[in-house]
Amino acid sequence: MSTLIRAVVITSSDACLSGEREDTSGETLVQLLTEVGAEIVAKEIVNDDPEPLAHKLRAYADLKARQFDRDHRGTGFGPRDNTPEATLQVIRREAPGLAEAMRMGTLKNTPMAMISRGVCGIRSGALIVNLPGSPKAVRESFEIIRPVLSHALALLEGNTSH
């Protein structure tokens, strides 16, 4: 990728925060981002309450050293699946094409893609992407948006020449 990606990976999961479950999907994303040359600025785990996640998203998005904030888990129908709501509190502009493409692309592999409520958007020049919670879904979703990440981030930096 021609644009340097500075990424923050935030996992929203009560079970991962308590140590009940290992954050394998977060580790999968770190690996995928590293493979495309991204610098991982931070990796954090927060509980499933919307406010801690919204706080972290705001704090990292407003830093000038990052371009790609990513959070996952909590995008389904469960009562503690609050990631989309927290993200919508934070973003200034939605990027619906990314979320739609991930749902449509992964629907070819699993009907569970239909129950994803993940959203994507922009705040302070940062691209915030909700990904599903399983390592397999993280891999599949990331592969769908990978081809446009560099261009999207370049646009956010102000490079609008095509």
Side-chain angles (χ1 to χ4, degrees), residues 117-149:
R117 299 179 312 111
V119 297
C120 302
I122 301 160
R123 179 187 174 99
S124 302
L127 177 61
I128 299 173
V129 177
N130 294 166
L131 293 174
S134 78
K136 179 179 183 283
V138 167
R139 249 183 255 99
E140 291 172 353
S141 297
F142 185 80
E143 288 306 317
I144 290 165
I145 64 170
R146 177 189 282 205
V148 300
L149 276 181

Side-chain angles (χ1 to χ4, degrees), residues 34-54:
T34 302
E35 287 173 5
V36 298
E39 172 191 350
I40 307 303
V41 175
K43 181 182 178 303
E44 298 213 26
I45 301 172
V46 298
N47 67 28
D48 285 315
D49 293 324
E51 197 44 47
L53 176 57

Side-chain angles (χ1 to χ4, degrees), residues 98-108 113-114 116-119:
L98 295 173
E100 292 164 5
M102 288 187 291
R103 271 189 284 279
M104 292 302 295
T106 58
L107 187 58
K108 297 172 186 171
M114 287 186 272
S116 171
R117 299 179 312 111
V119 297

